[in-house]
Amino acid sequence: REAFVEKQQHKLKNVIAHELLHMATSKEDDFAMCCGFQQYNKKTKKVAVRRSQKAEVLMQIGQVREAEKQLAMAAPVFRKFNNLNSLAISLVQIAEIRLKDGRLQDAENAFNECVDVCLTSGNIYIESRAREGLWSMYKDSAPVMALTHLERYVELKDRLVSEDANEQMQSFN
């Protein structure tokens, strides 16, 4: 366990160092930021990706509050630049954190937004995680709604397993 935590802390230090490197700005970058040039946009996107990667490590070492902050800063950037897969991943992680924290309304909103993003992008793996979270939320309080999400979750998992099996069969041929 200690070796795992040490390895995750090392990863976190690398992500932070990389993020700081990309966040350091020169006078040209300040000008680009003010004018909205593509160079600034690329840097902004990269920082958002680093924040989501940092959040993943933070969650693994138990720093969920800081992870949620990082995800909350990354999600608007993904939304702005229409990076739907990264947005969906961030939203499902935010929702899972909030669900564990007992902030059910906030979790529900994030799960539902995640489902909408996944339906647009076609990301069935992340949609299945969001559906599982919604099922978990509703199973005691709204069984009919829970069943709807559970059925969709099972359908998505079946598709994922089927696609996995097909890929493995293809590799043997």
Side-chain angles (χ1 to χ4, degrees), residues 31-151:
F31 178 73
M33 181 171 60
C34 292
C35 298
F37 289 134
Q38 195 170 14
Q39 177 183 1
Y40 174 71
N41 288 343
K42 285 181 183 178
K43 185 174 281 193
T44 303
K45 292 176 197 177
K46 285 182 182 181
V47 170
V49 169
R50 297 294 175 262
R51 287 187 186 284
S52 68
Q53 292 169 336
K54 179 179 174 182
E56 182 66 35
V57 173
L58 287 165
M59 286 188 294
Q60 290 177 4
I61 62 173
Q63 296 181 14
V64 292
R65 290 272 184 238
E66 183 59 30
E68 184 179 5
K69 287 178 190 173
Q70 295 297 319
L71 291 166
M73 288 188 278
V77 176
F78 296 141
R79 201 176 282 112
K80 177 181 177 183
F81 291 104
N82 204 33
N83 185 339
L84 298 181
N85 282 320
S86 295
L87 177 59
I89 292 166
S90 295
L91 288 170
V92 81
Q93 289 173 321
I94 289 169
E96 290 168 347
I97 290 169
R98 292 174 179 175
L99 179 61
K100 287 179 186 170
D101 247 8
R103 293 179 283 155
L104 301 182
Q105 187 61 54
D106 292 338
E108 179 182 27
N109 292 341
F111 279 132
N112 282 323
E113 184 179 358
C114 179
V115 167
D116 290 342
V117 170
C118 289
L119 291 173
T120 301
S121 69
N123 190 330
I124 63 174
Y125 171 71
I126 298 300
E127 182 187 350
S128 73
R129 281 179 57 185
R131 296 288 183 170
E132 182 181 24
L134 287 164
W135 167 79
S136 176
M137 283 183 57
Y138 293 135
K139 67 183 177 186
D140 296 325
S141 62
V144 173
M145 183 100 77
L147 181 60
T148 302
H149 291 293
L150 181 61
E151 287 173 342

Side-chain angles (χ1 to χ4, degrees), residues 8-27:
Q8 294 305 320
Q9 287 174 334
H10 180 70
K11 279 185 183 178
L12 179 60
K13 286 177 187 175
N14 285 339
V15 169
I16 290 170
H18 196 266
E19 180 180 336
L20 290 173
L21 176 69
H22 282 286
M23 289 177 73
T25 59
S26 65
K27 294 204 181 293

Side-chain angles (χ1 to χ4, degrees), residues 147-162:
L147 181 60
T148 302
H149 291 293
L150 181 61
E151 287 173 342
R152 178 68 176 153
Y153 168 77
V154 169
E155 177 186 318
L156 293 169
K157 281 297 188 182
D158 284 347
R159 262 180 68 191
L160 288 167
V161 169
S162 177

